Structure formats: C-alpha cells, structure tokens
Amino acid sequence: MQLDRATGWFSGVSHCPSPNCNARPDGEAISLLVIHNISLPPACFGTGKVQQFFQNRLDPDEHPYFATINQLTVSAHLFVERDGAVTQFVSLLERAWHAGVSRFGEREGCNDFSIGIELEGTDELPYTDAQYTALAQLTQQIRSAWPVIDLGRICGHSDIAPQRKTDPGPAFDWPRYRAELQRNEDKA
C-alpha cells in the first residue's frame, strides 16, 4: 500500500467511498492520529457490515443492534480487518466523521485535524498480528506525510472522548504498536 499525498488516497487497498465526510476547515493542518475499534454486529468479524454502515446502507432489520445505530452518519478514513486487509472510506485530506465530540489537549473537534483508523475488533479481544503490521505500515506513511504526528499525537478514541468511548480498549497493545513503529522507522 502506498499513500498518494496529493489525493490522500492509498493505492493497494480497497476503496469504499463514504458520503459521511466533508472538507476540513480552511487552513486546518492534519496533526493527530486516532485509533478506534468496531465490529458489526458487535464481536462478529468479516461480515462486511462496517463497510455498509460507513456507506449508510446498513439494514436496520437485519440485526437488533443495527436498529440502534442505523440513524448515525459516521465514517473513518481507514478500516483494518482481522486479516490485515485495509479499506479506505475517506481521503486523508478530508474530514471523516469518526471522533464525534472530542478534545485533544486544548483543542476540541478532533475530526477537524485528525485521521481516524478503525481496527476490526472489540475492547476485550486481542487484535491480530496482521492488524498490527498493517496499522504500523499505514501509520508510517501517514507520519511521513505529516511529520507533526509524533508518538505523542497518536491516541485512542478513549483518550479524546473519555466520557463516551473506551476504544481501542485494554486489548490494544500500545507498547507492541509503538515498538513496531520504531522498527519500521529504523528500517527506513
């Protein structure tokens, strides 16, 4: 996979454009990476329902949980499945609707200045080796394009919306992820 900095789209990944995005505010620089998790239905993997959800095509009658989220219009820039497959929904240059009401440091509205990556998973189930590998590769290219995103500007959804969100949860191995990023940088 390779990031085209001019368009904000990765090549070598699936593209599934979401309508749930818009332009970033004028002059707003990308300076934050937010890690999330999602699975639809909850704790079910490889269903294709995340893609439908981010495209507003989820059938609310298909599962009781879907009826509770069907009215939401959300998206992320990228989604990493359990096998490491990556789907991109929104150009990194645009604002995806992943963070909601949020704050990083003194700044509110993290969607304005962040990139959101969803991992297929739950707070409690371990993430896969393939997911850590893909996430580190994506992160390396994002950080190359936006060097201001140092390790201190990579956080979980729970860090920017602690009263509302818990993801990526205790199952996410932050030391492993950071070590993999360091290994990738050492190779570069």
Side-chain angles (χ1 to χ4, degrees):
M1 64 189 115
Q2 183 65 44
L3 175 61
D4 180 341
R5 179 66 172 88
T7 66
W9 287 93
F10 278 90
S11 61
V13 305
S14 297
H15 292 169
C16 188
S18 173
N20 304 328
C21 63
N22 59 353
R24 294 183 188 273
D26 285 343
E28 190 64 65
I30 295 167
S31 60
L32 183 68
L33 178 61
V34 181
I35 310 299
H36 304 260
N37 75 38
I38 189 170
S39 53
L40 293 174
C44 294
F45 306 133
T47 64
K49 300 306 177 188
V50 172
Q51 290 85 338
Q52 290 178 15
F53 181 47
F54 288 168
Q55 289 191 312
N56 304 330
R57 296 187 301 110
L58 197 61
D59 180 355
D61 298 323
E62 192 173 331
H63 187 278
Y65 182 72
F66 296 170
T68 69
I69 63 169
N70 186 55
Q71 76 289 353
L72 300 176
T73 51
V74 297
S75 63
H77 293 94
L78 299 153
F79 174 55
V80 182
E81 295 183 63
R82 304 296 285 180
D83 65 0
V86 176
T87 301
Q88 185 168 6
F89 297 94
V90 176
S91 164
L92 302 188
L93 303 179
E94 292 184 294
R95 177 171 47 191
W97 303 344
H98 61 95
V101 176
S102 54
R103 172 190 285 279
F104 183 80
E106 296 302 312
R107 298 206 47 206
E108 294 187 4
C110 294
N111 285 339
D112 291 349
F113 56 94
S114 68
I115 293 169
I117 301 178
E118 294 273 5
L119 300 175
E120 187 174 39
T122 71
D123 288 4
E124 298 82 23
L125 295 174
Y127 297 91
T128 68
D129 292 342
Q131 286 179 298
Y132 284 107
T133 298
L135 180 60
Q137 291 171 351
L138 292 168
T139 303
Q140 182 179 10
Q141 291 194 46
I142 289 167
R143 291 180 67 198
S144 178
W146 294 281
V148 69
I149 302 177
D150 60 18
L151 292 181
R153 297 191 70 82
I154 300 173
C155 64
H157 200 185
S158 58
D159 298 313
I160 61 170
Q163 305 304 317
R164 300 183 308 111
K165 298 296 180 177
T166 58
D167 58 311
F172 187 73
D173 189 341
W174 285 101
R176 175 184 177 172
Y177 170 54
R178 289 187 174 107
E180 192 145 350
L181 290 177
Q182 187 62 53
R183 276 192 299 279
N184 286 350
E185 285 182 11
D186 292 344
K187 290 179 193 175

